[in-house]
Amino acid sequence: TVLSSVNIAGSVQTIGDKAFYNCTSITSVTLGEGVEKIGKMAFYKCSVLTKISMPSSLRIIDFSAFEHCSQLSSVSLNHGLTQIGGFAFAYCKKLTNITIPSTVKTMGAYIVYGGYGRPTIYVKELTSKPKGWDPYWRTLATSGYASVLWGQ
């Protein structure tokens, strides 16, 4: 049987590290209300993943959680998320935009590094970088890897 969609019940609080690592048939992921953490490399190299539905209960997206999900084109993160690990959406070749809520207090470096386009990062309700954000995350914009729009 080929796994094409993943629906995680809200009774699961954490998606473990490498839980769906290199599952190349997954096209959509729906996380139920109650899921709080996506572990390191949980969906790494899910190369045909196009859709992620995340709950407001989600607090942490860990290091490289969606790295190399090359068909992922848009990500909207819900209010309540507090931490995004480095390289979380790196090498997502088709990623054109990502929306980050004002509740994110910790941000790793290069969250969208290595895409072939120039994704736009929308940062809701903030006008400057919070102290807990990795200083290199801003390199994305200054090096031409992404555009950052504050207060969007």
Side-chain angles (χ1 to χ4, degrees):
T1 303
V2 174
L3 182 64
S4 63
S5 65
V6 173
N7 296 299
I8 306 290
S11 58
V12 175
Q13 290 183 320
T14 300
I15 311 298
D17 294 352
K18 297 185 177 181
F20 297 95
Y21 182 97
N22 203 28
C23 286
T24 58
S25 61
I26 296 174
T27 59
S28 69
V29 172
T30 302
L31 305 178
E33 194 62 47
V35 174
E36 296 177 359
K37 179 181 179 182
I38 299 172
K40 293 177 183 131
M41 303 172 93
F43 295 95
Y44 185 94
K45 283 194 176 179
C46 290
S47 58
V48 296
L49 180 64
T50 58
K51 183 179 179 204
I52 309 166
S53 181
M54 298 186 204
S56 60
S57 59
L58 187 64
R59 299 293 175 256
I60 299 168
I61 297 175
D62 217 330
F63 179 82
S64 295
F66 294 95
E67 185 174 344
H68 286 284
C69 292
S70 56
Q71 298 301 307
L72 194 59
S73 62
S74 180
V75 176
S76 185
L77 304 171
N78 292 326
H79 192 78
L81 185 69
T82 59
Q83 179 180 332
I84 303 173
F87 295 87
F89 298 95
Y91 301 100
C92 293
K93 297 176 185 178
K94 291 193 175 180
L95 190 64
T96 57
N97 64 72
I98 182 168
T99 302
I100 299 173
S102 62
T103 53
V104 173
K105 303 301 179 206
T106 305
M107 173 88 73
Y110 305 110
I111 60 165
V112 294
Y113 182 81
Y116 292 103
R118 188 168 190 250
T120 301
I121 301 171
Y122 297 94
V123 185
K124 289 184 173 184
E125 303 164 1
L126 292 175
T127 55
S128 64
K129 174 184 83 69
K131 290 180 182 177
W133 288 23
D134 186 288
Y136 294 106
W137 92 273
R138 187 71 171 105
T139 306
L140 295 169
T142 58
S143 62
Y145 287 115
S147 298
V148 179
L149 298 177
W150 294 97
Q152 302 294 313

